[in-house]
Short mmCIF file of all heavy atoms in Angstrom, two decimals:
data_model
loop_
_atom_site.label_atom_id
_atom_site.label_comp_id
_atom_site.label_asym_id
_atom_site.label_seq_id
_atom_site.Cartn_x
_atom_site.Cartn_y
_atom_site.Cartn_z
N ARG A 38 111.98 116.32 84.06
CA ARG A 38 112.11 116.34 82.71
C ARG A 38 112.70 115.05 82.27
O ARG A 38 112.84 114.80 80.98
CB ARG A 38 112.85 117.53 82.13
CG ARG A 38 114.40 117.50 82.49
CD ARG A 38 115.08 118.67 81.97
NE ARG A 38 115.53 118.26 80.42
CZ ARG A 38 115.09 118.85 79.43
NH1 ARG A 38 114.44 120.02 79.50
NH2 ARG A 38 115.35 118.55 78.18
N VAL A 40 112.45 111.48 83.41
CA VAL A 40 111.92 110.29 84.25
C VAL A 40 111.98 109.01 83.47
O VAL A 40 112.18 107.97 83.97
CB VAL A 40 110.55 110.53 84.92
CG1 VAL A 40 110.66 111.70 86.00
CG2 VAL A 40 109.38 110.72 83.94
N ASP A 41 111.61 109.22 82.15
CA ASP A 41 111.57 107.94 81.20
C ASP A 41 112.47 108.14 80.07
O ASP A 41 112.23 108.79 79.04
CB ASP A 41 110.22 107.77 80.77
CG ASP A 41 110.11 106.43 79.95
OD1 ASP A 41 111.10 105.79 79.56
OD2 ASP A 41 108.97 106.03 79.62
N LEU A 42 113.70 107.66 80.32
CA LEU A 42 114.78 107.92 79.17
C LEU A 42 114.62 107.07 77.90
O LEU A 42 115.30 107.20 76.98
CB LEU A 42 116.11 107.69 79.90
CG LEU A 42 116.42 108.50 81.02
CD1 LEU A 42 117.82 108.11 81.65
CD2 LEU A 42 116.44 109.96 80.67
N THR A 43 113.57 106.08 77.96
CA THR A 43 113.43 105.36 76.89
C THR A 43 112.31 105.97 75.85
O THR A 43 112.08 105.59 74.74
CB THR A 43 112.85 103.95 77.07
OG1 THR A 43 111.53 104.03 77.74
CG2 THR A 43 113.85 103.28 78.07
N ALA A 44 111.73 107.13 76.28
CA ALA A 44 110.56 107.86 75.63
C ALA A 44 111.06 108.67 74.46
O ALA A 44 110.24 108.97 73.54
CB ALA A 44 109.80 108.67 76.59
N ARG A 45 112.33 109.08 74.42
CA ARG A 45 112.79 109.95 73.51
C ARG A 45 114.24 109.90 73.43
O ARG A 45 115.01 109.41 74.43
CB ARG A 45 112.40 111.34 73.67
CG ARG A 45 112.85 111.89 75.00
CD ARG A 45 112.24 113.28 75.29
NE ARG A 45 112.67 113.61 76.56
CZ ARG A 45 113.72 114.19 77.05
NH1 ARG A 45 114.78 114.32 76.01
NH2 ARG A 45 114.00 114.52 78.22
N PRO A 46 114.93 110.38 72.42
CA PRO A 46 116.38 110.39 72.42
C PRO A 46 116.97 111.17 73.45
O PRO A 46 116.37 112.36 73.76
CB PRO A 46 116.84 111.01 70.98
CG PRO A 46 115.64 110.75 70.16
CD PRO A 46 114.45 110.82 71.08
N ILE A 47 118.09 110.92 73.99
CA ILE A 47 118.76 111.81 75.13
C ILE A 47 119.37 112.90 74.42
O ILE A 47 120.13 112.78 73.52
CB ILE A 47 119.81 110.86 75.83
CG1 ILE A 47 119.09 109.76 76.39
CG2 ILE A 47 120.54 111.78 76.90
CD1 ILE A 47 118.05 110.04 77.53
N ARG A 62 119.17 102.69 79.31
CA ARG A 62 118.12 103.84 79.56
C ARG A 62 116.90 103.30 80.25
O ARG A 62 116.44 104.06 81.11
CB ARG A 62 117.70 104.37 78.23
CG ARG A 62 118.84 104.93 77.36
CD ARG A 62 119.43 106.21 78.12
NE ARG A 62 120.43 106.81 77.42
CZ ARG A 62 121.48 107.30 77.92
NH1 ARG A 62 121.79 107.32 79.19
NH2 ARG A 62 122.36 107.87 77.05
N ALA A 63 116.44 102.06 80.21
CA ALA A 63 115.41 101.64 81.03
C ALA A 63 115.67 101.59 82.53
O ALA A 63 115.00 101.95 83.35
CB ALA A 63 114.98 100.19 80.52
N SER A 66 115.87 105.08 84.04
CA SER A 66 114.64 105.79 84.08
C SER A 66 113.93 105.70 85.42
O SER A 66 113.67 104.54 85.88
CB SER A 66 113.72 105.15 82.98
OG SER A 66 114.30 105.51 81.65
N VAL A 68 111.02 106.20 86.34
CA VAL A 68 109.73 105.49 86.32
C VAL A 68 109.65 104.10 86.56
O VAL A 68 108.62 103.52 87.02
CB VAL A 68 108.80 106.08 85.17
CG1 VAL A 68 108.48 107.46 85.07
CG2 VAL A 68 109.50 105.54 83.82
N VAL A 89 108.21 118.61 76.25
CA VAL A 89 108.94 117.34 76.83
C VAL A 89 108.81 117.22 78.26
O VAL A 89 108.66 116.06 78.71
CB VAL A 89 110.55 117.39 76.42
CG1 VAL A 89 111.22 118.66 77.04
CG2 VAL A 89 111.23 116.22 76.68
N ASP A 92 105.30 115.84 78.93
CA ASP A 92 105.26 114.40 78.76
C ASP A 92 105.93 113.70 79.85
O ASP A 92 105.36 112.56 80.44
CB ASP A 92 105.93 114.00 77.45
CG ASP A 92 105.98 112.57 77.02
OD1 ASP A 92 105.07 111.97 76.99
OD2 ASP A 92 107.18 112.08 77.11
N GLN A 93 107.08 114.06 80.25
CA GLN A 93 107.80 113.44 81.23
C GLN A 93 107.16 113.48 82.65
O GLN A 93 107.08 112.54 83.40
CB GLN A 93 109.19 113.88 81.37
CG GLN A 93 110.10 113.68 80.08
CD GLN A 93 110.42 112.22 80.04
OE1 GLN A 93 111.09 111.56 80.91
NE2 GLN A 93 110.01 111.41 78.84
N ARG A 95 103.94 113.75 83.08
CA ARG A 95 102.76 112.96 82.90
C ARG A 95 103.16 111.45 83.21
O ARG A 95 102.49 110.70 84.04
CB ARG A 95 102.04 113.06 81.68
CG ARG A 95 100.99 112.16 81.30
CD ARG A 95 100.39 112.03 79.85
NE ARG A 95 101.50 111.75 78.89
CZ ARG A 95 101.99 110.59 78.67
NH1 ARG A 95 101.60 109.62 79.29
NH2 ARG A 95 102.98 110.53 77.66
N ARG A 96 104.25 111.04 82.72
CA ARG A 96 104.81 109.65 82.94
C ARG A 96 105.06 109.37 84.37
O ARG A 96 104.82 108.34 84.85
CB ARG A 96 106.04 109.37 82.08
CG ARG A 96 105.73 109.43 80.67
CD ARG A 96 106.98 109.39 79.71
NE ARG A 96 106.67 109.37 78.31
CZ ARG A 96 106.54 108.42 77.55
NH1 ARG A 96 106.58 107.18 78.04
NH2 ARG A 96 106.25 108.67 76.21
#
Side-chain angles (χ1 to χ4, degrees):
R38 68 172 281 121
V40 299
D41 184 352
L42 300 174
T43 65
R45 61 186 172 81
I47 299 299
R62 296 301 183 213
S66 296
V68 294
V89 66
D92 175 65
Q93 294 289 296
R95 178 189 53 78
R96 290 171 187 271

